[in-house]
Amino acid sequence: RWTARLPVSILFASAAGLFLVGTIGWPYEAWLFPVVIGAPTLAVAIFQLLQEIFTERPAGATETYADIKSDTTLAGMALVRRAIEAFAWVLGLLTGVAVIGFPIAITVFLLAYLKFRARESWIYALCTTAILVGLLYLFFDKVLHVAWPTGMLGIG
């Protein structure tokens, strides 16, 4: 059955495939990071695409997008507000990376998101942020040797 998710799944699978094809011929140091990110992304995108193509939905089933049902009782403006909030968080992260650099921006983003958007306790937010940033550091800095973006201010 045709749904709005099918073209999105096709788009993501195509983009991930093109992303990986674009790395052909790159030196190992430049090739490793995009492939580590692109290969699982392509696998998930293909899985999602196949699921969209071959899953039969019961008649009258309610379509959901993220956590919002299409027949939601939320007023139209509340739905728009939720979408704007989601984009604002992403835009804030991207702005932080551009201005202060990735390491500090991702740390501030994770802590702020967990505390203020997810409404977690300070202890949970601090511990989770420390663990995630530590894992990012170990994997990307120590294993993949990725150069971290420093941002316009040159800190981080």
Side-chain angles (χ1 to χ4, degrees), residues 41-54:
T41 301
L42 179 60
V44 170
I46 289 173
F47 176 78
Q48 178 65 33
L49 178 60
L50 293 174
Q51 186 178 20
E52 287 299 320
I53 292 171
F54 295 110

Side-chain angles (χ1 to χ4, degrees), residues 1-11 48-49 52-53:
R1 200 175 109 210
W2 174 264
T3 68
R5 289 191 250 187
L6 186 60
V8 173
S9 297
I10 292 169
L11 176 70
Q48 178 65 33
L49 178 60
E52 287 299 320
I53 292 171

